Amino acid sequence: MTSSHTDDITEGFVQFNIPSLPDKPCHTYYKVIGTLASDTTPLIALHGGPGVNHEYLNILADLRIPLVVYDQIGTGKSTHYPEKMGDTSFWIEQLFLDELDTLLRHLGLQDNYDLAGHSWGGMLAARHAALQPKGLRRLVLMSAPADMQLWIQSQNRLRKQLPQTVQDVMADHEANNTTESKEYQEAMGVFYAHFLCRLDPMPEPIVNGFAEVAKDPTVYLTMNGPSEFHITGPLANWSIVQDAHKITAPTLITNGQFDEAQDEVIAPFLKEIANVKWVKFSNSSHMAHFEERERFMQEVSSFLRL
């Protein structure tokens, strides 16, 4: 396990042992922005994808509290397993839960931490919270679906708002299993400009996240599938609706007016979690922490400091 420290930023790797791969443990890359101290509750932030990297969550340092971000297994600077492409018995939710627990123990944070998750990271954070870990103080679920079937229905409604020519391109390539084509990716770019991030140009950390998936699509293609609404992997059946009531930590739910995570996608969290607050950002899609940066940070900061 190695680490380095520069100007209030500490970077390192923690070894994450995987029983099914005794000869190839994962080395999870993490970064701490700020100083971890016993009198301060740090925020652990879980990136989405699955398959992008942590970079687009560095912005949460705006909150001016100690922030921990990391690249989940198979992404960014952490160990990659391209040989596991398509192995749905390997890329399971429990793998990512175990990795999170390993990181918390390594940093000595397991008894006092806040947790934020964006999109897929919010799904992971919600599952972690439903296990009622003793050290979890507060939970922030950023544009995170409670049920992937609700997500898919939402995406299909949203794509109908796009120009018919774009819809036709998507439908043709999905029917012909040619979603890796440039034409399909360009059509997805139109979708993302409407419902993922409405800033133009798209912020570089978000663009870099897409580049990470393109560089090694193993995790995204195996768990999710070719696109946000053409979901062919095991996440298509993911749901926490039956377990959301087990989340006892005070929880903040956020989404945007034009979000992939439309209101009906997050609604089960609002119904099932006892201590919950909802904030909706009227000028945002899926990246409110960029699209309405100042207000987003104010809302999250006030919630975490209660």
Side-chain angles (χ1 to χ4, degrees):
M1 301 179 190
T2 59
S3 65
S4 62
H5 181 83
T6 309
D7 295 334
D8 246 12
I9 295 178
T10 303
E11 299 175 274
F13 292 86
V14 56
Q15 182 167 310
F16 168 43
N17 296 314
I18 306 166
S20 64
L21 287 176
D23 298 326
K24 191 179 179 183
C26 174
H27 292 91
T28 301
Y29 168 82
Y30 68 88
K31 177 163 58 179
V32 181
I33 303 175
T35 302
L36 299 177
S38 59
D39 61 345
T40 306
T41 303
L43 177 66
I44 320 296
L46 309 183
H47 67 70
V52 304
N53 61 351
H54 78 277
E55 185 181 344
Y56 78 106
L57 295 182
N58 287 338
I59 195 173
L60 296 178
D62 282 6
L63 295 168
R64 299 189 179 280
I65 56 177
L67 173 69
V68 179
V69 291
Y70 69 99
D71 290 333
Q72 295 162 20
I73 178 173
T75 68
K77 297 178 182 178
S78 295
T79 307
H80 288 241
Y81 297 89
E83 68 274 19
K84 292 293 185 179
M85 174 70 84
D87 188 346
T88 55
S89 67
F90 179 78
W91 297 109
I92 58 174
E93 183 182 59
Q94 191 61 49
L95 180 71
F96 296 87
L97 292 171
D98 292 345
E99 181 183 38
L100 172 57
D101 287 340
T102 299
L103 180 66
L104 288 169
R105 289 194 302 270
H106 173 72
L107 295 176
L109 302 178
Q110 68 273 19
D111 294 328
N112 180 36
Y113 60 98
D114 293 328
L115 189 62
H118 176 257
S119 199
W120 147 253
M123 296 159 63
L124 189 61
R127 186 71 72 191
H128 176 84
L131 298 172
Q132 300 178 1
K134 65 175 183 177
L136 177 59
R137 198 181 67 99
R138 289 181 178 270
L139 177 67
V140 182
L141 301 180
M142 305 159 54
S143 298
D147 181 278
M148 283 301 286
Q149 286 299 311
L150 293 176
W151 170 274
I152 292 168
Q153 293 167 20
S154 175
Q155 307 319 293
N156 287 331
R157 279 194 292 274
L158 291 175
R159 68 189 275 174
K160 290 177 181 176
Q161 300 178 27
L162 299 175
Q164 189 61 49
T165 52
V166 176
Q167 295 183 53
D168 292 344
V169 167
M170 289 178 172
D172 288 345
H173 285 288
E174 288 164 6
N176 294 308
N177 200 28
T178 52
T179 52
E180 73 288 346
S181 71
K182 182 181 178 182
E183 190 179 35
Y184 184 79
Q185 295 305 318
E186 288 174 348
M188 280 303 305
V190 176
F191 180 86
Y192 289 144
H194 282 77
F195 306 117
L196 183 121
C197 183
R198 297 169 74 86
L199 298 178
D200 185 16
M202 193 174 287
E204 185 176 350
I206 301 174
V207 174
N208 291 344
F210 282 115
E212 287 293 327
V213 175
K215 194 187 307 179
D216 181 2
T218 303
V219 184
Y220 187 77
L221 288 182
T222 303
M223 295 186 71
N224 188 85
S227 71
E228 299 292 272
F229 37 75
H230 192 48
I231 298 178
T232 56
L235 283 186
N237 298 312
W238 186 94
S239 178
I240 198 170
V241 173
Q242 298 302 317
D243 290 328
H245 70 278
K246 298 177 183 176
I247 297 175
T248 55
T251 301
L252 173 65
I253 308 290
T254 70
N255 73 331
Q257 177 69 35
F258 309 101
D259 204 330
E260 293 176 288
Q262 288 286 292
D263 294 355
E264 65 269 22
V265 179
I266 64 167
F269 287 130
L270 304 176
K271 179 182 178 183
E272 299 295 336
I273 299 175
N275 189 347
V276 66
K277 178 183 179 181
W278 176 27
V279 176
K280 185 172 181 176
F281 295 90
S282 58
N283 295 311
S284 295
S285 57
H286 200 51
M287 297 283 179
H289 53 301
F290 282 93
E291 295 165 295
E292 292 182 69
R293 181 173 180 172
E294 185 175 353
R295 185 188 167 213
F296 183 90
M297 299 304 169
Q298 289 172 347
E299 293 286 358
V300 174
S301 180
S302 65
F303 172 75
L304 293 179
R305 285 175 167 80
L306 286 174

